[in-house]
Amino acid sequence: RMPSCLLKLTRVVLSHKPWALFILIFTFVSFAYIKFYWRTWEDPKSRGHPSSLSAGTSCAPSVPSSQNIAGGPSPSPGNVFFVETSEQTNPSYLFSCSVESAARTHPGSRVVVLMKGLAKGNASLPKHWAFSLLSGFPNVQIQSLDLTELFSGTPLAQWYLQPQRRQEPYFLAVLSDACRIVLMWKFGGIYLDTDFIVLKNLQNLTNALGLQDKDVLNGAFLSFNPKHKFIELCMQDFVQNYNGWVWGHQGPGLLTRVFKKWSSIRTIRSMSCKGVSALAPETVYPIPWQDWKKLFEAVSALELQQLLKNTYAVHIWNKLSHGTKLEIPSQALLAQLYSHFCPATYAKMKQD
């Protein structure tokens, strides 16, 4: 026998046939729509931003190792680039240390320092201790930065010539973002911000950039072959999705957007996809930007060794740390980095 509640429901349905039919059709259509929607969302081929890797994408964990340098083939001697997009011609201690540490760890490479404030042509360098110190390294070249010439022949040429760009609040930072991707496109090699201290030869890290933290890539370090497709996509995104009024939109934001499209993923981790590696934070960003004050805290020799075990370079986050007093000499992490990896600059700091 049918339960009484079900019997009552049957009587109600039979007495209201049109409404019952309408409700039944509505329920079926709604169910079918929801089922179709979720199947579409789960199908990587049916949308632009898939939640998982597409079938044709080859991705694997990216684990750079210093053993590759010691035991593998000799790394190619590409250029190492530093860029100063302001008119300043008075390098800081950190600027000098960045270039010196790169020159010492890359003796077979040209370390090219491009500065917008330097006079064009064969004019002599300004009288400043840093220029004298860095000119003593045979592989360091300090040159004038001609932005019009650098951007020529790229999608960024027209962008740079628009005068209203100069009024944007983060123009110098955006200009630096533009320079690094064009340098990688035209010449290849390695790009470094002038607030890095380099610990090891970076030529082993080819077609790579680093995670600064979970799911965010940073362009303070870039290493690419010239005319690489990934960098071409970065130049296209720079122009097509341009927004100079949001901090980082043309820098970490751009690189993160492009890598997600490149790899067909929604969340970035330490990985290598289609020949481009997203390096783990400890590779070049061992101190998270949120913890920048640790650079000024004392560490023992053993702690320093453990902290930098898998590190190739240390980003100093100068935008946050530049006003902080550093005792010289001291056991502060940053002081020890100066002492070990840019001893000539460190000697000048102690002298001053």
mmCIF file of all heavy atoms in Angstrom, residues 161-199:
data_model
loop_
_atom_site.group_PDB
_atom_site.id
_atom_site.type_symbol
_atom_site.label_atom_id
_atom_site.label_comp_id
_atom_site.label_asym_id
_atom_site.label_seq_id
_atom_site.Cartn_x
_atom_site.Cartn_y
_atom_site.Cartn_z
ATOM 1 N N LEU A 161 56.175 55.983 -26.939
ATOM 2 C CA LEU A 161 56.131 57.317 -27.544
ATOM 3 C C LEU A 161 54.900 58.121 -27.136
ATOM 4 O O LEU A 161 54.780 59.291 -27.508
ATOM 5 C CB LEU A 161 56.177 57.192 -29.073
ATOM 6 C CG LEU A 161 57.483 56.616 -29.648
ATOM 7 C CD1 LEU A 161 57.369 56.443 -31.154
ATOM 8 C CD2 LEU A 161 58.670 57.493 -29.286
ATOM 9 N N GLN A 162 53.982 57.555 -26.371
ATOM 10 C CA GLN A 162 52.791 58.279 -25.932
ATOM 11 C C GLN A 162 53.135 59.144 -24.715
ATOM 12 O O GLN A 162 53.462 58.613 -23.646
ATOM 13 C CB GLN A 162 51.665 57.299 -25.599
ATOM 14 C CG GLN A 162 51.210 56.479 -26.798
ATOM 15 C CD GLN A 162 50.182 55.436 -26.442
ATOM 16 O OE1 GLN A 162 49.502 55.535 -25.416
ATOM 17 N NE2 GLN A 162 50.053 54.408 -27.266
ATOM 18 N N PRO A 163 53.084 60.480 -24.843
ATOM 19 C CA PRO A 163 53.557 61.364 -23.771
ATOM 20 C C PRO A 163 52.764 61.256 -22.472
ATOM 21 O O PRO A 163 53.307 61.519 -21.390
ATOM 22 C CB PRO A 163 53.418 62.762 -24.390
ATOM 23 C CG PRO A 163 52.413 62.606 -25.483
ATOM 24 C CD PRO A 163 52.596 61.231 -26.014
ATOM 25 N N GLN A 164 51.483 60.872 -22.543
ATOM 26 C CA GLN A 164 50.678 60.795 -21.322
ATOM 27 C C GLN A 164 51.176 59.735 -20.361
ATOM 28 O O GLN A 164 50.848 59.768 -19.163
ATOM 29 C CB GLN A 164 49.206 60.554 -21.660
ATOM 30 C CG GLN A 164 48.878 59.183 -22.241
ATOM 31 C CD GLN A 164 48.937 59.155 -23.767
ATOM 32 O OE1 GLN A 164 49.657 59.974 -24.356
ATOM 33 N NE2 GLN A 164 48.194 58.261 -24.389
ATOM 34 N N ARG A 165 51.968 58.799 -20.855
ATOM 35 C CA ARG A 165 52.503 57.757 -19.971
ATOM 36 C C ARG A 165 53.356 58.356 -18.862
ATOM 37 O O ARG A 165 53.417 57.833 -17.749
ATOM 38 C CB ARG A 165 53.330 56.755 -20.767
ATOM 39 C CG ARG A 165 52.571 56.023 -21.881
ATOM 40 C CD ARG A 165 51.428 55.229 -21.333
ATOM 41 N NE ARG A 165 50.705 54.529 -22.398
ATOM 42 C CZ ARG A 165 49.421 54.232 -22.357
ATOM 43 N NH1 ARG A 165 48.714 54.582 -21.295
ATOM 44 N NH2 ARG A 165 48.843 53.591 -23.338
ATOM 45 N N ARG A 166 54.037 59.466 -19.147
ATOM 46 C CA ARG A 166 54.941 60.070 -18.160
ATOM 47 C C ARG A 166 54.200 60.557 -16.924
ATOM 48 O O ARG A 166 54.806 60.774 -15.873
ATOM 49 C CB ARG A 166 55.703 61.245 -18.786
ATOM 50 C CG ARG A 166 56.350 60.995 -20.151
ATOM 51 C CD ARG A 166 57.371 59.868 -20.127
ATOM 52 N NE ARG A 166 58.170 59.820 -21.336
ATOM 53 C CZ ARG A 166 57.824 59.177 -22.448
ATOM 54 N NH1 ARG A 166 56.664 58.547 -22.511
ATOM 55 N NH2 ARG A 166 58.631 59.149 -23.493
ATOM 56 N N GLN A 167 52.879 60.734 -17.033
ATOM 57 C CA GLN A 167 52.092 61.246 -15.917
ATOM 58 C C GLN A 167 51.584 60.142 -14.988
ATOM 59 O O GLN A 167 51.008 60.437 -13.940
ATOM 60 C CB GLN A 167 50.889 62.041 -16.456
ATOM 61 C CG GLN A 167 51.242 63.103 -17.476
ATOM 62 C CD GLN A 167 52.272 64.089 -16.962
ATOM 63 O OE1 GLN A 167 52.193 64.525 -15.817
ATOM 64 N NE2 GLN A 167 53.238 64.440 -17.808
ATOM 65 N N GLU A 168 51.780 58.908 -15.362
ATOM 66 C CA GLU A 168 51.282 57.808 -14.546
ATOM 67 C C GLU A 168 52.111 57.662 -13.270
ATOM 68 O O GLU A 168 53.319 57.914 -13.273
ATOM 69 C CB GLU A 168 51.307 56.514 -15.360
ATOM 70 C CG GLU A 168 50.338 56.535 -16.534
ATOM 71 C CD GLU A 168 50.508 55.374 -17.490
ATOM 72 O OE1 GLU A 168 51.490 54.610 -17.318
ATOM 73 O OE2 GLU A 168 49.676 55.223 -18.391
ATOM 74 N N PRO A 169 51.488 57.239 -12.160
ATOM 75 C CA PRO A 169 52.180 57.253 -10.860
ATOM 76 C C PRO A 169 53.350 56.289 -10.743
ATOM 77 O O PRO A 169 54.268 56.513 -9.963
ATOM 78 C CB PRO A 169 51.062 56.887 -9.865
ATOM 79 C CG PRO A 169 50.049 56.145 -10.687
ATOM 80 C CD PRO A 169 50.095 56.781 -12.043
ATOM 81 N N TYR A 170 53.340 55.201 -11.513
ATOM 82 C CA TYR A 170 54.386 54.183 -11.392
ATOM 83 C C TYR A 170 55.191 54.064 -12.687
ATOM 84 O O TYR A 170 55.700 52.988 -13.016
ATOM 85 C CB TYR A 170 53.764 52.828 -11.048
ATOM 86 C CG TYR A 170 52.814 52.878 -9.877
ATOM 87 C CD1 TYR A 170 51.464 52.548 -10.043
ATOM 88 C CD2 TYR A 170 53.245 53.288 -8.618
ATOM 89 C CE1 TYR A 170 50.579 52.605 -8.974
ATOM 90 C CE2 TYR A 170 52.368 53.346 -7.543
ATOM 91 C CZ TYR A 170 51.036 53.008 -7.735
ATOM 92 O OH TYR A 170 50.168 53.063 -6.671
ATOM 93 N N PHE A 171 55.329 55.202 -13.388
ATOM 94 C CA PHE A 171 55.911 55.136 -14.730
ATOM 95 C C PHE A 171 57.316 54.544 -14.738
ATOM 96 O O PHE A 171 57.647 53.723 -15.600
ATOM 97 C CB PHE A 171 55.938 56.520 -15.377
ATOM 98 C CG PHE A 171 56.599 56.537 -16.727
ATOM 99 C CD1 PHE A 171 56.004 55.909 -17.811
ATOM 100 C CD2 PHE A 171 57.836 57.134 -16.910
ATOM 101 C CE1 PHE A 171 56.617 55.897 -19.059
ATOM 102 C CE2 PHE A 171 58.455 57.130 -18.150
ATOM 103 C CZ PHE A 171 57.845 56.508 -19.224
ATOM 104 N N LEU A 172 58.180 54.939 -13.797
ATOM 105 C CA LEU A 172 59.553 54.427 -13.800
ATOM 106 C C LEU A 172 59.579 52.912 -13.582
ATOM 107 O O LEU A 172 60.365 52.203 -14.219
ATOM 108 C CB LEU A 172 60.396 55.128 -12.734
ATOM 109 C CG LEU A 172 60.834 56.558 -13.052
ATOM 110 C CD1 LEU A 172 61.660 57.127 -11.902
ATOM 111 C CD2 LEU A 172 61.627 56.612 -14.348
ATOM 112 N N ALA A 173 58.731 52.429 -12.697
ATOM 113 C CA ALA A 173 58.666 50.978 -12.471
ATOM 114 C C ALA A 173 58.140 50.267 -13.710
ATOM 115 O O ALA A 173 58.652 49.214 -14.101
ATOM 116 C CB ALA A 173 57.780 50.681 -11.265
ATOM 117 N N VAL A 174 57.113 50.838 -14.345
ATOM 118 C CA VAL A 174 56.551 50.236 -15.556
ATOM 119 C C VAL A 174 57.578 50.261 -16.677
ATOM 120 O O VAL A 174 57.705 49.306 -17.458
ATOM 121 C CB VAL A 174 55.259 50.967 -15.968
ATOM 122 C CG1 VAL A 174 54.780 50.497 -17.336
ATOM 123 C CG2 VAL A 174 54.170 50.741 -14.926
ATOM 124 N N LEU A 175 58.330 51.353 -16.765
ATOM 125 C CA LEU A 175 59.378 51.461 -17.775
ATOM 126 C C LEU A 175 60.431 50.377 -17.578
ATOM 127 O O LEU A 175 60.926 49.774 -18.541
ATOM 128 C CB LEU A 175 60.012 52.846 -17.711
ATOM 129 C CG LEU A 175 60.984 53.238 -18.817
ATOM 130 C CD1 LEU A 175 60.320 53.165 -20.182
ATOM 131 C CD2 LEU A 175 61.527 54.645 -18.569
ATOM 132 N N SER A 176 60.768 50.112 -16.340
ATOM 133 C CA SER A 176 61.706 49.034 -16.039
ATOM 134 C C SER A 176 61.129 47.683 -16.435
ATOM 135 O O SER A 176 61.829 46.827 -16.991
ATOM 136 C CB SER A 176 62.054 49.041 -14.550
ATOM 137 O OG SER A 176 62.917 47.975 -14.210
ATOM 138 N N ASP A 177 59.828 47.477 -16.160
ATOM 139 C CA ASP A 177 59.163 46.235 -16.581
ATOM 140 C C ASP A 177 59.244 46.064 -18.091
ATOM 141 O O ASP A 177 59.470 44.958 -18.597
ATOM 142 C CB ASP A 177 57.690 46.255 -16.153
ATOM 143 C CG ASP A 177 57.509 46.213 -14.647
ATOM 144 O OD1 ASP A 177 58.375 45.639 -13.962
ATOM 145 O OD2 ASP A 177 56.509 46.758 -14.157
ATOM 146 N N ALA A 178 59.053 47.158 -18.809
ATOM 147 C CA ALA A 178 59.101 47.108 -20.277
ATOM 148 C C ALA A 178 60.508 46.778 -20.768
ATOM 149 O O ALA A 178 60.685 45.951 -21.671
ATOM 150 C CB ALA A 178 58.638 48.446 -20.855
ATOM 151 N N CYS A 179 61.514 47.418 -20.174
ATOM 152 C CA CYS A 179 62.896 47.214 -20.616
ATOM 153 C C CYS A 179 63.322 45.761 -20.489
ATOM 154 O O CYS A 179 63.959 45.206 -21.395
ATOM 155 C CB CYS A 179 63.844 48.099 -19.811
ATOM 156 S SG CYS A 179 63.765 49.860 -20.206
ATOM 157 N N ARG A 180 62.982 45.138 -19.376
ATOM 158 C CA ARG A 180 63.501 43.782 -19.133
ATOM 159 C C ARG A 180 62.943 42.769 -20.131
ATOM 160 O O ARG A 180 63.668 41.895 -20.599
ATOM 161 C CB ARG A 180 63.240 43.366 -17.690
ATOM 162 C CG ARG A 180 61.787 43.151 -17.323
ATOM 163 C CD ARG A 180 61.600 43.030 -15.818
ATOM 164 N NE ARG A 180 61.858 44.305 -15.164
ATOM 165 C CZ ARG A 180 61.872 44.480 -13.849
ATOM 166 N NH1 ARG A 180 61.638 43.458 -13.049
ATOM 167 N NH2 ARG A 180 62.111 45.668 -13.327
ATOM 168 N N ILE A 181 61.643 42.891 -20.469
ATOM 169 C CA ILE A 181 61.102 41.895 -21.398
ATOM 170 C C ILE A 181 61.603 42.137 -22.822
ATOM 171 O O ILE A 181 61.831 41.191 -23.576
ATOM 172 C CB ILE A 181 59.560 41.832 -21.350
ATOM 173 C CG1 ILE A 181 58.918 43.156 -21.708
ATOM 174 C CG2 ILE A 181 59.091 41.338 -20.002
ATOM 175 C CD1 ILE A 181 57.394 43.085 -21.763
ATOM 176 N N VAL A 182 61.850 43.409 -23.173
ATOM 177 C CA VAL A 182 62.391 43.691 -24.510
ATOM 178 C C VAL A 182 63.848 43.242 -24.599
ATOM 179 O O VAL A 182 64.283 42.700 -25.620
ATOM 180 C CB VAL A 182 62.245 45.183 -24.857
ATOM 181 C CG1 VAL A 182 62.978 45.512 -26.154
ATOM 182 C CG2 VAL A 182 60.768 45.538 -25.000
ATOM 183 N N LEU A 183 64.620 43.439 -23.536
ATOM 184 C CA LEU A 183 66.004 42.957 -23.526
ATOM 185 C C LEU A 183 66.052 41.446 -23.693
ATOM 186 O O LEU A 183 66.876 40.918 -24.448
ATOM 187 C CB LEU A 183 66.692 43.354 -22.222
ATOM 188 C CG LEU A 183 67.153 44.811 -22.102
ATOM 189 C CD1 LEU A 183 67.542 45.123 -20.661
ATOM 190 C CD2 LEU A 183 68.320 45.089 -23.037
ATOM 191 N N MET A 184 65.166 40.749 -23.000
ATOM 192 C CA MET A 184 65.129 39.290 -23.127
ATOM 193 C C MET A 184 64.715 38.880 -24.542
ATOM 194 O O MET A 184 65.231 37.908 -25.093
ATOM 195 C CB MET A 184 64.164 38.683 -22.104
ATOM 196 C CG MET A 184 64.620 38.781 -20.649
ATOM 197 S SD MET A 184 66.135 37.856 -20.275
ATOM 198 C CE MET A 184 67.386 39.137 -20.473
ATOM 199 N N TRP A 185 63.774 39.622 -25.139
ATOM 200 C CA TRP A 185 63.317 39.295 -26.490
ATOM 201 C C TRP A 185 64.423 39.524 -27.514
ATOM 202 O O TRP A 185 64.702 38.665 -28.351
ATOM 203 C CB TRP A 185 62.090 40.133 -26.844
ATOM 204 C CG TRP A 185 61.721 40.082 -28.295
ATOM 205 C CD1 TRP A 185 61.885 41.063 -29.226
ATOM 206 C CD2 TRP A 185 61.150 38.976 -29.006
ATOM 207 N NE1 TRP A 185 61.449 40.650 -30.462
ATOM 208 C CE2 TRP A 185 60.994 39.368 -30.352
ATOM 209 C CE3 TRP A 185 60.761 37.693 -28.635
ATOM 210 C CZ2 TRP A 185 60.455 38.527 -31.322
ATOM 211 C CZ3 TRP A 185 60.230 36.851 -29.602
ATOM 212 C CH2 TRP A 185 60.079 37.270 -30.925
ATOM 213 N N LYS A 186 65.080 40.671 -27.439
ATOM 214 C CA LYS A 186 66.063 41.026 -28.471
ATOM 215 C C LYS A 186 67.388 40.295 -28.302
ATOM 216 O O LYS A 186 67.993 39.852 -29.284
ATOM 217 C CB LYS A 186 66.302 42.541 -28.461
ATOM 218 C CG LYS A 186 65.190 43.358 -29.095
ATOM 219 C CD LYS A 186 65.618 44.795 -29.309
ATOM 220 C CE LYS A 186 64.638 45.538 -30.210
ATOM 221 N NZ LYS A 186 65.082 46.925 -30.505
ATOM 222 N N PHE A 187 67.853 40.182 -27.070
ATOM 223 C CA PHE A 187 69.215 39.686 -26.844
ATOM 224 C C PHE A 187 69.281 38.373 -26.072
ATOM 225 O O PHE A 187 70.272 37.637 -26.188
ATOM 226 C CB PHE A 187 70.036 40.748 -26.099
ATOM 227 C CG PHE A 187 70.023 42.096 -26.760
ATOM 228 C CD1 PHE A 187 69.288 43.134 -26.213
ATOM 229 C CD2 PHE A 187 70.705 42.313 -27.941
ATOM 230 C CE1 PHE A 187 69.259 44.384 -26.819
ATOM 231 C CE2 PHE A 187 70.681 43.550 -28.565
ATOM 232 C CZ PHE A 187 69.949 44.589 -28.005
ATOM 233 N N GLY A 188 68.279 38.102 -25.259
ATOM 234 C CA GLY A 188 68.363 36.934 -24.400
ATOM 235 C C GLY A 188 69.403 37.129 -23.313
ATOM 236 O O GLY A 188 70.005 38.192 -23.173
ATOM 237 N N GLY A 189 69.609 36.103 -22.499
ATOM 238 C CA GLY A 189 70.566 36.198 -21.398
ATOM 239 C C GLY A 189 69.837 36.251 -20.072
ATOM 240 O O GLY A 189 68.801 35.603 -19.878
ATOM 241 N N ILE A 190 70.379 37.054 -19.158
ATOM 242 C CA ILE A 190 69.825 37.150 -17.805
ATOM 243 C C ILE A 190 69.548 38.609 -17.491
ATOM 244 O O ILE A 190 70.375 39.486 -17.778
ATOM 245 C CB ILE A 190 70.802 36.562 -16.773
ATOM 246 C CG1 ILE A 190 70.929 35.050 -16.973
ATOM 247 C CG2 ILE A 190 70.358 36.870 -15.343
ATOM 248 C CD1 ILE A 190 72.068 34.434 -16.194
ATOM 249 N N TYR A 191 68.393 38.868 -16.909
ATOM 250 C CA TYR A 191 68.091 40.200 -16.385
ATOM 251 C C TYR A 191 67.998 40.111 -14.865
ATOM 252 O O TYR A 191 67.397 39.171 -14.320
ATOM 253 C CB TYR A 191 66.770 40.747 -16.932
ATOM 254 C CG TYR A 191 66.315 41.962 -16.151
ATOM 255 C CD1 TYR A 191 66.793 43.226 -16.469
ATOM 256 C CD2 TYR A 191 65.468 41.820 -15.048
ATOM 257 C CE1 TYR A 191 66.430 44.330 -15.707
ATOM 258 C CE2 TYR A 191 65.101 42.918 -14.287
ATOM 259 C CZ TYR A 191 65.584 44.175 -14.623
ATOM 260 O OH TYR A 191 65.232 45.264 -13.861
ATOM 261 N N LEU A 192 68.573 41.119 -14.176
ATOM 262 C CA LEU A 192 68.480 41.204 -12.723
ATOM 263 C C LEU A 192 68.161 42.635 -12.303
ATOM 264 O O LEU A 192 68.711 43.592 -12.861
ATOM 265 C CB LEU A 192 69.802 40.787 -12.066
ATOM 266 C CG LEU A 192 70.216 39.322 -12.145
ATOM 267 C CD1 LEU A 192 71.655 39.153 -11.689
ATOM 268 C CD2 LEU A 192 69.291 38.456 -11.300
ATOM 269 N N ASP A 193 67.294 42.786 -11.310
ATOM 270 C CA ASP A 193 67.113 44.088 -10.673
ATOM 271 C C ASP A 193 68.397 44.456 -9.934
ATOM 272 O O ASP A 193 69.195 43.578 -9.570
ATOM 273 C CB ASP A 193 65.944 44.034 -9.692
ATOM 274 C CG ASP A 193 64.604 44.294 -10.359
ATOM 275 O OD1 ASP A 193 64.569 44.502 -11.594
ATOM 276 O OD2 ASP A 193 63.577 44.277 -9.648
ATOM 277 N N THR A 194 68.548 45.746 -9.676
ATOM 278 C CA THR A 194 69.777 46.213 -9.023
ATOM 279 C C THR A 194 69.719 46.086 -7.501
ATOM 280 O O THR A 194 70.487 46.749 -6.797
ATOM 281 C CB THR A 194 70.053 47.681 -9.407
ATOM 282 O OG1 THR A 194 68.915 48.482 -9.076
ATOM 283 C CG2 THR A 194 70.345 47.812 -10.886
ATOM 284 N N ASP A 195 68.826 45.244 -6.996
ATOM 285 C CA ASP A 195 68.815 44.941 -5.563
ATOM 286 C C ASP A 195 68.891 43.428 -5.340
ATOM 287 O O ASP A 195 68.261 42.886 -4.444
ATOM 288 C CB ASP A 195 67.587 45.542 -4.862
ATOM 289 C CG ASP A 195 66.270 45.096 -5.472
ATOM 290 O OD1 ASP A 195 66.299 44.462 -6.547
ATOM 291 O OD2 ASP A 195 65.213 45.384 -4.881
ATOM 292 N N PHE A 196 69.690 42.778 -6.166
ATOM 293 C CA PHE A 196 70.008 41.359 -6.020
ATOM 294 C C PHE A 196 71.451 41.217 -5.562
ATOM 295 O O PHE A 196 72.325 41.985 -5.988
ATOM 296 C CB PHE A 196 69.868 40.614 -7.352
ATOM 297 C CG PHE A 196 68.600 39.826 -7.498
ATOM 298 C CD1 PHE A 196 67.632 40.224 -8.394
ATOM 299 C CD2 PHE A 196 68.372 38.690 -6.741
ATOM 300 C CE1 PHE A 196 66.464 39.506 -8.538
ATOM 301 C CE2 PHE A 196 67.204 37.961 -6.878
ATOM 302 C CZ PHE A 196 66.251 38.373 -7.780
ATOM 303 N N ILE A 197 71.714 40.218 -4.739
ATOM 304 C CA ILE A 197 73.081 39.791 -4.460
ATOM 305 C C ILE A 197 73.195 38.368 -4.991
ATOM 306 O O ILE A 197 72.449 37.472 -4.575
ATOM 307 C CB ILE A 197 73.416 39.868 -2.964
ATOM 308 C CG1 ILE A 197 73.304 41.320 -2.479
ATOM 309 C CG2 ILE A 197 74.829 39.325 -2.701
ATOM 310 C CD1 ILE A 197 73.625 41.507 -0.999
ATOM 311 N N VAL A 198 74.115 38.169 -5.945
ATOM 312 C CA VAL A 198 74.211 36.900 -6.666
ATOM 313 C C VAL A 198 75.195 35.984 -5.950
ATOM 314 O O VAL A 198 76.331 36.374 -5.664
ATOM 315 C CB VAL A 198 74.644 37.130 -8.126
ATOM 316 C CG1 VAL A 198 74.606 35.815 -8.901
ATOM 317 C CG2 VAL A 198 73.742 38.171 -8.798
ATOM 318 N N LEU A 199 74.766 34.758 -5.691
ATOM 319 C CA LEU A 199 75.579 33.793 -4.949
ATOM 320 C C LEU A 199 76.243 32.768 -5.858
ATOM 321 O O LEU A 199 77.343 32.294 -5.563
ATOM 322 C CB LEU A 199 74.715 33.047 -3.926
ATOM 323 C CG LEU A 199 74.332 33.729 -2.624
ATOM 324 C CD1 LEU A 199 73.651 35.070 -2.838
ATOM 325 C CD2 LEU A 199 73.432 32.817 -1.794
#
